[in-house]
Amino acid sequence: MSASLIFDIVPIGSIVAWSDGAPPPPKRHRKKLSAWKTRNSQGRLIRKQEGRRTGSYVALPEFTIHENDFGSAGTIALRVFRTFAIDSDLTFTVVERPATGSVRVFDRPGERAELVHLAANRAAAEAWLKQHGYPEAVVDEVTAYEAQAEIAKGRDAA
């Protein structure tokens, strides 16, 4: 699946994998393996941003994927995000879609909103919000209609 299809039809909260099609190098080649992992990994789709124009510069639409967290003892020290423009040469695959009835928690309203948590239900989302405190948070339930519509679009596009 292309990056533009991910942007167009995949719902936020989905687990998306990306690949350049190259086989992994041997583990003993640490630098090559590290470079390969940047072009072959997976994570959760957390944001989609429309294209924009600033003067003569035109930015393509893009999406951001939360790849990993690093830390210890429950404290996150580093979060890894990857942002892809819709003209990316990588191949994308939807590994998992958010379940119907699950609730997405966004950090703020509007087009700059970013997914900060995906809860199993509304009660779990509200409990998570009480603990983590996002004052402008927006909760959005994944509906059966949305999930079915997205899957149908994906079949038509593929």
Side-chain angles (χ1 to χ4, degrees):
M1 179 180 284
S2 69
S4 62
L5 281 176
I6 294 292
F7 184 84
D8 290 340
I9 65 174
V10 176
I12 291 180
S14 298
I15 302 292
V16 177
W18 63 93
S19 174
D20 62 3
K27 290 187 180 192
R28 67 181 184 273
H29 297 280
R30 290 186 189 142
K31 289 183 182 179
K32 289 180 182 180
L33 185 60
S34 178
W36 180 86
K37 284 180 180 179
T38 63
R39 295 186 50 87
N40 298 274
S41 190
Q42 71 178 23
R44 188 171 302 277
L45 180 63
I46 62 166
R47 188 176 78 167
K48 296 179 182 181
Q49 186 171 346
E50 294 291 332
R52 57 201 180 282
R53 181 178 208 143
T54 306
S56 63
Y57 175 73
V58 178
L60 293 173
E62 61 189 21
F63 56 90
T64 302
I65 295 177
H66 175 217
E67 184 179 2
N68 208 347
D69 289 333
F70 294 98
S72 64
T75 301
I76 297 170
L78 178 69
R79 299 194 113 161
V80 178
F81 299 98
R82 303 270 187 218
T83 299
F84 301 95
I86 62 167
D87 67 346
S88 175
D89 63 343
L90 299 172
T91 301
F92 296 86
T93 307
V94 178
V95 176
E96 176 186 323
R97 292 176 181 270
T100 301
S102 61
V103 177
R104 296 178 283 224
V105 180
F106 293 94
D107 62 348
R108 67 186 83 137
E111 66 182 43
R112 304 272 307 153
E114 190 173 284
L115 181 73
V116 291
H117 184 66
L118 183 64
N121 54 45
R122 187 165 294 276
E126 290 172 2
W128 186 88
L129 272 172
K130 284 181 183 177
Q131 185 178 12
H132 292 86
Y134 281 86
E136 296 180 354
V138 175
V139 294
D140 178 39
E141 187 171 336
V142 178
T143 63
Y145 174 77
E146 176 187 15
Q148 291 304 317
E150 297 297 339
I151 290 169
K153 285 181 195 175
R155 285 189 187 136
D156 291 342

